[in-house]
Amino acid sequence: VIGTPDIKVITGVRRSGKSKLLELLKMHFDNDINNNIIFIDFNRLSNEELKEYHNLNKYIEEHYKANKKNILMIDEVQMCDKFELVINSLHSSNKYDIYITGSNAFLLSSDLATLFTGRTFSIEVYPFSFKEFMDFYSYNDVDEAFDKYFFEGGFAGSYPYDSIEEKYDYIDKDVYQTIIVRDLMKKYKIRNKEVLENLCDYMLDNISNLSSSNNITNYLNSNNSSITDKTISNYIKYLCEAFVFYKVGRYDLRGKRYLSTESKYYLCDHTIKYAKLGTKQIDYGRTYENIVAIELKRRGYEIYVGKLYNKEIDFVAKKRNEQIYIQVSKNIVDEDTLKREATPLLQIKDAYPKMIITRTKHDITQYEGIIIVDIARWLVKE
């Protein structure tokens, strides 16, 4: 990615660390004396004049050095009106290696092709993984760390707060509410906040359940809303493009085809659900499934819900020539639960690896050729 002619766009949910990644890249580039780094942070008052796009373009061109490799890095690029005109002009000159971050309301994945005439490469940033969480807190005990991560999650901005209530308050107000109220409602001129919030509450409460815009619409309308299927479909698309939720479609293993009916939706970080709906009735199995889904995405897998006859496999994970079948379970301490989780996997006749991810607190074991792995240990070791 580094040094390619693409416009590198650092994307991801709000407060996931996009600006921090840009700073780390700058530190990396600083080590080479042949680099000329033009770094602009629009959060700084000293860059206020550069929010006018002609001024921005002039500043960058004035800081260009012909005898160096020129690296342009702009944080919160959307704060300059018509920023895309500047980026496109600079990119067409072939003089700069360009890296930008911005609010997801202005740099949604669907907008990139419209905004930029050159090729873009998206670098997606997620909230902290469990491994990053352990490194941050210098944990040695994987089980103790996982119990904490399960409730605190990956939004590092919440870590300085002492109480769990303060942490959830940060996640709710600084992350979730800001995306819903300030970003999406502003960008799409959504007037009915109540419908959007009711939709979000429904999706939060149905993580890992198969859903469709049609059945969500019917549910909301049965609870005194008045909304169309098209509107709900659009709202779900907005939420996914802002990286709040990730849509996972279904794949028919027998027919070798993708299914358009019903999908599952997973949260970018499971603690958003706690921050909004509380922790009194936690479904550990669903939360484990959400954690596994995001970790698979983080590791670069395409994921689908597998369908085989009338059975469901939680994840079919694909990456190049690699494919893994995965079931996720709260626990498999009794024989009946183990057999229930294993049966769909045993019905798959190809030779790709099959795995059950659960909470054993032990090293890897096997059951009829199926790998059984503790979720905490799987998260720290690929």
Side-chain angles (χ1 to χ4, degrees):
V1 175
I2 292 175
T4 64
D6 308 316
I7 301 167
K8 273 71 72 176
V9 183
I10 300 175
T11 63
V13 70
R14 177 178 286 278
R15 302 296 187 188
S16 58
K18 299 185 290 293
S19 297
K20 183 60 67 176
L21 176 59
L22 198 68
E23 289 175 19
L24 291 172
L25 280 170
K26 180 180 181 297
M27 290 170 61
H28 169 76
F29 292 135
D30 279 336
N31 293 324
D32 189 339
I33 60 172
N34 294 312
N35 290 334
N36 175 45
I37 302 168
I38 305 167
F39 189 93
I40 299 164
D41 180 359
F42 275 120
N43 286 309
R44 293 186 177 274
L45 192 61
S46 57
N47 291 321
E48 191 74 17
E49 290 184 0
L50 303 184
K51 291 180 181 177
E52 198 285 317
Y53 74 100
H54 292 101
N55 292 343
L56 175 64
N57 189 73
K58 181 182 178 184
Y59 175 88
I60 294 167
E61 293 283 41
E62 285 177 348
H63 286 77
Y64 175 82
K65 294 182 180 178
N67 60 334
K68 300 273 190 177
K69 179 180 179 181
N70 289 268
I71 300 170
L72 174 62
M73 313 182 86
I74 307 178
D75 195 15
E76 297 293 347
V77 70
Q78 85 288 342
M79 294 176 76
C80 171
D81 190 32
K82 298 185 180 179
F83 66 86
E84 67 275 11
L85 299 180
V86 178
I87 299 300
N88 286 331
S89 175
L90 297 172
H91 180 260
S92 66
S93 73
N94 296 314
K95 297 191 302 183
Y96 300 90
D97 187 13
I98 302 173
Y99 300 79
I100 60 174
T101 79
S103 164
N104 291 316
F106 298 89
L107 284 179
L108 296 175
S109 54
S110 61
D111 292 343
L112 297 183
T114 305
L115 285 170
F116 303 120
T117 54
R119 270 192 57 179
T120 59
F121 186 93
S122 293
I123 303 168
E124 189 165 347
V125 179
Y126 296 86
F128 270 17
S129 67
F130 176 54
K131 190 174 187 305
E132 290 166 332
F133 178 88
M134 284 192 69
D135 291 343
F136 181 88
Y137 282 109
S138 301
Y139 268 108
N140 293 315
D141 187 325
V142 68
D143 294 313
E144 180 187 354
F146 182 75
D147 290 343
K148 190 176 178 70
Y149 180 76
F150 184 89
F151 286 101
E152 295 193 8
F155 282 113
S158 71
Y159 296 169
Y161 297 98
D162 293 327
S163 72
I164 197 69
E165 290 79 12
E166 289 174 313
K167 293 176 190 292
Y168 290 162
D169 191 56
Y170 166 87
I171 293 167
D172 181 19
K173 293 179 180 175
D174 278 38
V175 181
Y176 183 77
Q177 292 295 336
T178 305
I179 294 170
I180 302 304
V181 178
R182 198 174 84 184
D183 290 353
L184 297 183
M185 291 188 69
K186 179 181 177 182
K187 178 178 175 68
Y188 297 107
K189 298 178 174 60
I190 296 171
R191 293 185 297 273
N192 196 333
K193 179 184 176 184
E194 183 180 358
V195 169
L196 181 59
E197 289 188 330
N198 288 343
L199 167 65
C200 291
D201 286 350
Y202 177 90
M203 293 179 71
L204 290 171
D205 202 33
N206 284 273
I207 293 301
S208 86
N209 282 345
L210 286 170
S211 302
S212 69
S213 59
N214 184 57
N215 60 36
I216 294 174
T217 303
N218 290 338
Y219 173 83
L220 294 178
N221 284 335
S222 70
N223 285 272
N224 301 317
S225 292
S226 181
I227 199 74
T228 65
D229 178 50
K230 182 179 179 182
T231 298
I232 290 299
S233 181
N234 284 335
Y235 286 4
I236 292 173
K237 180 166 75 83
Y238 302 157
L239 289 163
C240 291
E241 287 182 335
F243 305 99
V244 181
F245 291 94
Y246 287 84
K247 179 180 179 179
V248 176
R250 299 170 76 210
Y251 182 73
D252 184 346
L253 295 170
R254 187 163 176 257
K256 305 294 183 185
R257 60 193 178 93
Y258 301 101
L259 303 172
S260 58
T261 57
E262 296 188 312
S263 301
K264 289 188 177 185
Y265 295 91
Y266 295 98
L267 271 168
C268 61
D269 188 89
H270 55 285
T271 54
I272 291 178
K273 181 174 180 178
Y274 304 158
K276 282 297 297 173
L277 304 184
T279 57
K280 288 184 178 179
Q281 295 180 318
I282 291 178
D283 187 321
Y284 281 79
R286 286 195 199 178
T287 303
Y288 290 171
E289 192 175 321
N290 198 111
I291 291 170
V292 169
I294 298 305
E295 182 63 22
L296 287 168
K297 297 284 290 182
R298 189 183 283 112
R299 294 180 184 184
Y301 287 95
E302 292 181 48
I303 57 175
Y304 305 92
V305 180
K307 177 183 177 296
L308 184 62
Y309 305 105
N310 62 339
K311 300 289 186 181
E312 182 182 291
I313 291 89
D314 290 332
F315 299 113
V316 181
K318 300 183 178 186
K319 182 164 59 175
R320 301 184 187 91
N321 296 323
E322 184 182 357
Q323 185 162 306
I324 311 169
Y325 302 110
I326 299 171
Q327 292 284 67
V328 183
S329 180
K330 176 184 175 182
N331 63 65
I332 49 170
V333 292
D334 65 87
E335 189 73 15
D336 289 341
T337 304
L338 175 57
K339 286 182 178 178
R340 186 181 70 244
E341 297 293 344
T343 296
L345 296 174
L346 293 171
Q347 290 179 346
I348 302 169
K349 300 307 178 185
D350 63 40
Y352 289 117
K354 302 167 181 66
M355 181 185 297
I356 297 175
I357 298 176
T358 183
R359 191 73 174 110
T360 64
K361 300 187 180 181
H362 299 299
D363 292 331
I364 291 172
T365 57
Q366 288 201 17
Y367 174 81
E368 296 191 23
I370 298 170
I371 299 165
I372 299 174
V373 60
D374 175 70
I375 184 170
R377 286 153 183 80
W378 177 79
L379 288 168
V380 296
K381 295 180 181 178
E382 291 195 34

